[in-house]
Amino acid sequence: MEIDSAEYQLSCELRGHEDDVRGICICGNAGIATSSRDRTVRFWTLDPSDKRNYTAWKILLGHTSFVGPLAWIAPNEEFPEGGIVSGGMDTLVMVWDLKTGERIHTLKGHQLQVTGVALDDSDVVSSSVDCTLRRWRKGKAVEFWEAHKAAIQAVIKLPSNELITGSSDTTLKLWRGQNCIQTFVGHTDTVRGLAVMPDLGVLSASHDGSIRLWALTGETLMEMVGHTSIVYSVDSHASGLIVSGSEDCFAKIWKDGVCVQSIEHPGCVWDTKFLENGDVVTACSDGVVRIWTVQQDRIANSVELESYFSRLSQFKISRKRVGGLKLEDLPGLEALQIPGTSDGQTIVVREGDNGMAYSWNLREQKWDKIGEVVDGPDDTMARPVLDGIQYDYVFDVDIGDGEPIRKLPYNRSDNPYSTADKWLLKENLPLSYRQQVVEFILQNSGQKNFALDTSYRDPYTGANAYVPGESSNKSAAVPVKPSFKHIPKKGILVFDAAQFDGILKKISEFNNALISDPEKKSLSLTEVEISRLVAVVKILKETSRYHSSTFADVDIALMLKLLKSWPIAMIFPVIDILRMIILHPDGAIRLLKLLEDENDVLMDMIKKITVSPALAANLLTSIRAVCNLFKNSCYSNWLLNHRSEILDAFSSCNSSSNKNVLLSYSTLLLNYAVFLIEKKDQEGQSHVLSAVLEIAEGENLDVDSKYRALVAIGTLMLEGSVKKIALDFDVESIAKAAKVSKDAKVAEVGADIELLTKQN
């Protein structure tokens, strides 16, 4: 039976993942591997008792953030039952042995999310948002190179042994070794997915909504357009069929460049793959893997099909809007049992999958049906309402000077000058703001080529409208700008509270332990050193004298000596004193001088205390100490030069179960976000973005930690240079999840980020 002669129908559902399924890998005849936002890789094999269904055989645990790309290692001497290669948001590539389910290699080197993995003979090749390709051999990195100037989103190997990459720079590149021999230009947005089209060339899926088939000479052979949103994945079959998956919730089947079937899903379709027999496997944001077939004997039974269509219907109802309202929020027909209050009163009720309008007939005391209520073509864009009236736009306007946010309603059919004048009078604001308000309206409503109607008369003065270009008093005007409640973050956060008595008590306790241990007695403090320590704490306690008090170099040298010589389990109270010295003007300068004159004890300390298993008290105090460095500009170069080492060293803190450690780590990332924006360091901003996204993706997080991570994301998007990278990371999903938080500030910053994703 030819697979392109019949429509695909559901065959079975693979359930087990607890979040979005992001990737699919067809593992020969052995089974199917899938990856998920739930941080797992699952391996599925055919159910021996039912050849139509699959069962989960192995769950591979190890990644600390969501897992994306996968590759299959065919059985060999090292992997007798085959292996899996996975790449994650945690910047790691992992190699798994399917026989044991154990992780054989953890490949560290990428600075940002791993977006693609491919097998080149026995080598692993990986791509990343850090713009590099890396080659790994037997668990070791053997080469890497910058392959694009923007994030790489995918890499595949061709039958001819070359590599192909797709990037956020909108291009594909063909690689022979480290030499780019062809650049493919045609897409207008990020190239997200790649696949080989046997004997023809390569397929690409793009954020521009299209799929392209390319000859290896760089020529576009075919363009397939039909999706209404980002296309994430594409694959081909020996029969000539092509399948694609998109954010528009459809998997589409293509034949000869024409879409022959659209398979609707209850969520975003992240990945699509063909099985050798022509069946299609899809990965969906509802956490379910689905297999679709044209073979009648493998189609799901009626109960399974009914369950799927019910789920699909519920999903569509949850998204459908009628008259600007969610269909699922509308009352049912029982609302018609309640009499109206006035003649002509209208209500909208839910009838099946539709919204129906009724009008109250006062004379006959009954509801008369008016008809079905529908929205425009884009039913997700509900018209906003202000004071009970619908408008095309209701803008939030921040006029500055500590004034509250004002609501500015506007319809595209209105004269913007009339709207501005009426609004300024209503809000009791100076008319000198008029031109700024008009420009704000035109810019945010997309009416850049607005033609002024010169016959317009001011409704209050009878005068003609103010015409752009004529003289006006602009000196008093305050720029009108979109309003965000929590972003951008300005300034840095420090940890300036300390329990000095408790710190000294702990140091004394540790010192006594050293004295009582014959082998470590030589490490203990002398009486003179103890008195110096007490003097240091006394200076730190007197914050009102920070402008005039000073330390001796021997004071700082003593602290650094303890950091180097004391056992690692005993140094956290020493780090805590150092944290406070950093906030003292004289102490900060003396510490920096010693760091420059001697070995970098501070960086050595960070590396030492972050070696697994790390002590929470050490992590907490050292992260807070680094946070405090941002207060003094003299540490700018140190923070800039060691950024990669610092963030890598503390990266494991994103999964810490210690609330205070996680909050401190979130604060460090927020400080770095603000700092790197000021320094215009795009590579550093990308590194921080990757780290804060990992925190924001986490579940059951402390509210304050999540809030600071979200503020960092929003600030980097608004004022930094990584907004496009954030959008590629699916930041909109993170924003939507934050918006439904029970904590008001988390919900509000989620709304800020969502607004940012919608702005050009």
Side-chain angles (χ1 to χ4, degrees), residues 5 227 236 295 407 577 738:
S5 63
H227 284 292
S236 70
Q295 305 293 343
K407 297 291 185 181
I577 293 181

Side-chain angles (χ1 to χ4, degrees), residues 89-109:
M89 177 76 172
D90 55 12
T91 76
L92 302 177
V93 177
M94 295 187 180
V95 182
W96 309 84
D97 184 353
L98 275 183
K99 181 178 180 179
T100 62
E102 296 297 317
R103 179 175 40 177
I104 303 302
H105 300 299
T106 298
L107 310 179
K108 299 180 180 180

